[in-house]
Amino acid sequence: MKAIGKNPNTKVVDLSKDILLRTTIPLDNHPALRSGFAGYPINPRWNVNKVHAWKTGRRLRQALQQGDLIIRSSDSMLVPSDKEEEEILVTKAATQPYRWISCAEWVKQLLKNYQTV
């Protein structure tokens, strides 16, 4: 059985006039993301998270210029060019029944899954 799910932490960012992006970058870092997308230089007072958002904006602009990303005409969303539809997360239902585990085991599994992403 397949389920279609969306990340509840995603937000839509207005990168520039008529260009939208769905991202998990926190709201505090959206101006840095826009700045990188627009081609402005780094602000030396930014913290690590804002610099990371700025670099992401630069990479998005480069991918758009190279044709790896396109602006979807229906809603002005920035999406991968190889498929017109927005990326949909498809998850499989668990094949094993749930079982109780200790907190330490749960943290180990969580970290293992986080490192593979």
Side-chain angles (χ1 to χ4, degrees):
M1 178 171 154
K2 293 184 180 180
I4 297 175
K6 291 199 176 208
N7 188 346
N9 297 326
T10 60
K11 299 161 192 70
V12 175
V13 181
D14 192 6
L15 285 178
S16 67
K17 186 177 180 181
D18 298 330
I19 299 177
L20 302 173
L21 174 71
R22 198 175 296 275
T23 184
T24 57
I25 294 176
L27 288 172
D28 294 343
N29 301 331
H30 287 184
L33 178 69
R34 286 188 205 103
S35 178
F37 187 77
Y40 293 116
I42 285 182
N43 185 334
R45 294 173 287 180
W46 282 344
N47 61 20
V48 173
N49 296 329
K50 290 188 187 233
V51 170
H52 178 68
W54 179 83
K55 286 182 180 181
T56 302
R58 269 187 45 203
R59 285 189 208 112
L60 289 171
R61 173 63 108 187
Q62 289 173 352
L64 180 62
Q65 290 173 347
Q66 292 173 354
D68 296 334
L69 295 175
I70 60 169
I71 300 167
R72 190 167 47 198
S73 59
S74 61
D75 58 358
S76 301
M77 191 71 67
L78 195 61
V79 294
S81 63
D82 58 346
K83 50 187 165 190
E84 185 65 25
E85 295 182 29
E86 183 179 348
E87 194 173 309
I88 297 175
L89 299 175
V90 177
T91 59
K92 294 183 180 178
T95 56
Q96 299 176 353
Y98 292 106
R99 63 181 179 91
W100 290 100
I101 59 174
S102 70
C103 184
E105 285 183 64
W106 177 76
V107 170
K108 286 178 186 176
Q109 287 181 2
L110 184 66
L111 290 175
K112 185 174 106 180
N113 290 339
Y114 180 73
Q115 290 174 351
T116 60
V117 174

